Amino acid sequence: MRQHDQRACSGLFRRPMQLPRCPLSLRPCSGEQVPSLTVQIARASNPMATVCVLQFLLGLSDRQAAEAVRCRIDFKYALALELDDPGFHHSVLAGFRERLTQDDRADRLLDLALARLKEAGLVRERTIQRTDSTHVLAAVRDLTRLELVTEAVRAVLEEVARTADHLLIGLVDADWGRRYGRPVRLGKNPTRPKTRILAAGDDAWRLLERLHRQGPGYRPGPQAEALRQIMVQNYYRDAAGRLHWRTPDDGGLAPSSSAILSPYDTTARYLGRSPDPLILVHSRDNRAAVLHASRC
């Protein structure tokens, strides 16, 4: 009988491994009522969220994570499961992540995590703390300033063509097609840079003025707003109304903390001397900014 039990335990908990660090359990404490996100989230999101955290820490695929829940005793301990719990199908993880993106459920789950951290004394208000979640590599192409303006104009043209193409009649001609018909790749030393700079700036202002004249009945999209900000950061007009290219000595440049680097991701910023300088720095209202861990 003892040998049979040993073989059963060996088959049930193969490959036991200590986790790199003990994650904080998000399960309700004894006698505590689960917050009412939805009935389904209240019943299922907490263990699934913990599985997602463990999956990220150990670099597991969905199949490997589901297998670990079924076979590994350390996973069962973290999830407070019975030893003979059969686990779940790996597709449940994908479904949980999809549901988490709906109705601000991710933020509400983060609120729950923050409450747990605060109760455990790991997060305090108005203190300097650390987090690994503020810097994320941005999936954007590194652009020169001229490429940035030119690509921003192209992005607005694509946006307007999808939503209100009649606004481009009389504005876009063959020259615009040659300049903005494909993704921009000029390099750091393009030919006739001054001519290109003024041409891109004039085209951008004409396009923005055309959209602005449509009145309250038309609302420009996010690409148009990105172009407006990019133009303010890279051009200025003198007293005579002439357009000029900003330089450090002529008009000044926007600081790196606010300079837009891509029309497709307006929150991407350069970070000092990082080996991967192009990163995504969340805005000040990002909830992750309050996750300051205690000082070293």
Side-chain angles (χ1 to χ4, degrees), residues 15-19 54 68 72-79:
R15 300 194 310 273
M17 183 183 300
Q18 185 177 3
L19 293 175
L54 299 177
R72 290 178 50 165
I73 194 171
D74 48 0
F75 269 66
K76 291 182 181 293
Y77 176 81
L79 297 170

Side-chain angles (χ1 to χ4, degrees), residues 17-35:
M17 183 183 300
Q18 185 177 3
L19 293 175
R21 62 182 66 181
C22 181
L24 183 67
S25 176
L26 296 180
R27 294 181 291 107
C29 301
S30 177
E32 182 182 11
Q33 185 176 1
V34 180

Side-chain angles (χ1 to χ4, degrees), residues 157-182:
L157 292 174
E158 294 284 352
E159 181 180 64
V160 176
R162 292 191 301 267
T163 59
D165 57 352
H166 63 280
L167 299 180
L168 302 179
I169 298 175
L171 177 66
V172 176
D173 53 20
D175 289 337
W176 282 54
R178 285 192 293 270
R179 287 196 291 269
Y180 310 111
R182 62 183 62 185

